[in-house]
Amino acid sequence: MLKEIVQVLVKDPAAAHRLKNGQFELAGVSEVEQKALLAALGDRNGFGKDVQLGAWDTVKAQAAF
Amino acid sequence: MEDLVESVGKEIGEGMRAYFVVPHLYEHAMACIEEKLRGRMPFSKLTVLHFRAFGGTGHAVFRAAAAVELMVLSADIIDDLQDKDNGLTAWSRMSPEIVLNIAFGLTLVSQQMMLTGDFPLEVIHKAVQFMNTQTLAAINGQTTDLLNDIGSEEDYLRMVKQKSAGFVVAACMIGTLLATGEWNGQVRDYAEELGIADQIKNDIRDLLDWERSDFKNRKKTLSTLYLLQFIAEEDQWIADYFEGRLRVEEISHRREEFERAIERTGTFLYTSVRMRTHCYNYLQLVDKLDIDAHWKNRIIALSE
């Protein structure tokens, strides 16, 4: 299901905004995957390689400890 | 943490002097190890951190950590030898026959160091048994990797659990085991999540680095499996390359096209989500540990 959602997101840039606003159906995706998806999209230039490879820092910053 | 690199390095040096008595073997092995010591020795760090986090005290842990580091170093060397990869390492500049002896010897020195550690015999027995189990799992995973026998994400994850994540599990579990004398399933589970997240991160990096062996060897990873599933008609040459119908020389001029295909298919996004998911799983599992907050935060910081 995650794969299908990623396909929608890359084909329809507006879908990312709907997802961030909670207006996008995320059925079949676990809570952790939803959090990961929003975090990945939340990165500046979310589809760019540099940002994706720097995701480690983002994860650490978001750790609720 | 205490001066880990110095303490572990001293233990490794003693082990090498005791067992690698032919000067050529000793000198070349030390060149490999010195290169390793210049790194951060992440596996030793995991072992010592878990030993301390679970109440272990004293200096005996450094020999155990040295044993873990040598176990992983020997596997690293063999991996590079088989993949013909990593031309910058000390062992890549040596003759393969000698490198093979060094790697085989390091595996056994690693065992000797663990067996002669200052811990109760029944705990040492469990630790060595676990090291052997993980090394044998890694040999199985490495064989799957060499054959590139990865047809699905499940195959990929099974291979990663056996190989790279398995060494992360071994380093964390051995530290915990030496401190408590017991298995800890929680540690095993989060260490595996950390190891998988780290491997996914390495794989996406290597997909873009066409000089490395992963691309040249057409390695199937989470990223490439996804990419191949969603490439467009005009990018079929990528599938032809990964299926062996095109040689690397025939596609070497299409690097930018390749990067665009990765972006267009959402390969980075998908891989990033999968990597983050394993990392979040790791953080959640660590949070459930019943240990002091100071040590919990130190373990969490490993995901930096």
Side-chain angles (χ1 to χ4, degrees):
Chain A
M1 193 61 202
L2 177 63
K3 287 180 179 174
E4 285 75 19
I5 289 171
V6 170
Q7 284 299 298
V8 171
L9 291 170
V10 291
K11 285 173 184 158
D12 175 14
H17 294 291
R18 293 203 301 279
L19 193 146
K20 286 176 194 169
N21 296 329
Q23 298 164 323
F24 189 99
E25 184 67 33
L26 280 173
V29 177
S30 72
E31 202 176 313
V32 178
E33 280 179 330
Q34 288 185 29
K35 188 179 167 190
L37 182 58
L38 285 167
L41 285 169
D43 275 343
R44 189 166 41 86
N45 303 320
F47 300 119
K49 60 185 175 184
D50 294 338
V51 174
Q52 299 300 341
L53 293 175
W56 220 233
D57 295 334
T58 313
V59 169
K60 189 196 166 229
Q62 288 175 345
F65 300 103
Chain B
M1 197 178 288
E2 49 231 303
D3 195 346
L4 182 141
V5 173
E6 190 183 326
S7 301
V8 173
K10 192 174 156 217
E11 293 290 345
I12 290 176
E14 284 176 15
M16 300 310 293
R17 279 190 294 279
Y19 299 108
F20 280 19
V21 293
V22 171
H24 187 86
L25 181 64
Y26 173 79
E27 285 157 19
H28 282 69
M30 284 310 291
C32 299
I33 287 162
E34 278 160 15
E35 190 164 286
K36 188 80 174 171
L37 293 180
R38 280 199 294 273
R40 294 176 299 143
M41 300 179 67
F43 293 93
S44 299
K45 186 177 171 184
L46 287 174
T47 301
V48 175
L49 176 60
H50 280 78
F51 182 75
R52 299 282 182 241
F54 285 88
T57 56
H59 297 285
V61 69
F62 293 121
R63 184 179 296 187
V68 169
E69 201 67 51
L70 290 184
M71 170 183 71
V72 180
L73 176 60
S74 65
D76 275 352
I77 292 173
I78 291 169
D79 184 74
D80 284 346
L81 205 59
Q82 292 170 331
D83 285 345
K84 300 174 182 63
D85 198 5
N86 214 348
L88 300 173
T89 57
W91 47 91
S92 70
R93 296 185 291 275
M94 300 173 187
S95 76
E97 296 84 354
I98 296 297
V99 173
L100 199 57
N101 263 358
I102 290 171
F104 184 40
L106 289 178
T107 307
L108 294 176
V109 173
S110 160
Q111 301 254 327
Q112 289 290 76
M113 291 177 78
M114 191 64 86
L115 285 166
T116 54
D118 190 16
F119 291 98
L121 276 181
E122 65 270 23
V123 176
I124 287 176
H125 179 261
K126 283 183 186 176
V128 172
Q129 190 183 36
F130 194 66
M131 281 172 75
N132 284 346
T133 302
Q134 294 303 95
T135 303
L136 288 167
I139 289 170
N140 281 278
Q142 174 71 352
T143 304
T144 304
D145 198 17
L146 285 169
L147 296 171
N148 209 8
D149 192 16
I150 307 285
S152 66
E153 290 193 358
E154 289 71 28
D155 292 341
Y156 167 82
L157 286 172
R158 191 179 310 114
M159 185 269 291
V160 170
K161 285 177 187 175
Q162 288 175 323
K163 206 179 144 186
S164 44
F167 285 127
V168 177
V169 171
C172 298
M173 287 290 281
I174 285 169
T176 308
L177 176 65
L178 294 175
T180 65
E182 293 172 356
W183 299 115
N184 189 319
Q186 283 179 294
V187 172
R188 197 204 75 86
D189 290 347
Y190 73 67
E192 189 166 271
E193 293 289 337
L194 180 66
I196 294 170
D198 200 44
Q199 187 57 48
I200 294 174
K201 185 180 66 165
N202 288 344
D203 286 341
I204 188 73
R205 181 199 64 200
D206 292 349
L207 183 63
L208 294 169
D209 187 351
W210 286 18
E211 306 311 314
R212 289 182 71 88
S213 68
D214 276 12
F215 187 80
K216 288 178 184 165
N217 291 336
R218 303 171 167 91
K219 284 287 167 70
K220 299 280 177 58
T221 65
L222 198 70
S223 305
T224 51
L225 289 169
Y226 176 89
L227 174 66
L228 293 173
Q229 188 177 347
F230 292 105
I231 46 174
E233 194 65 37
E234 66 266 28
D235 293 325
Q236 277 305 312
W237 64 271
I238 297 174
D240 289 339
Y241 173 69
F242 275 95
E243 296 305 325
R245 292 187 289 272
L246 286 175
R247 286 176 289 116
V248 70
E249 300 80 35
E250 294 175 280
I251 60 137
S252 55
H253 62 289
R254 307 183 85 165
R255 206 170 178 138
E256 285 183 12
E257 267 182 82
F258 183 72
E259 291 191 5
R260 280 199 296 276
I262 281 181
E263 208 162 307
R264 208 164 38 235
T265 52
T267 301
F268 277 120
L269 180 62
Y270 178 72
T271 309
S272 174
V273 173
R274 293 297 304 269
M275 184 198 75
R276 285 166 195 268
T277 300
H278 286 288
C279 195
Y280 287 143
N281 288 342
Y282 164 74
L283 294 171
Q284 282 183 0
L285 290 167
V286 173
D287 191 41
K288 288 179 186 165
L289 280 179
D290 186 21
I291 58 171
D292 185 87
H294 165 76
W295 291 111
K296 201 183 277 190
N297 286 329
R298 295 284 293 270
I299 294 171
I300 286 164
L302 292 171
S303 64
E304 282 177 24

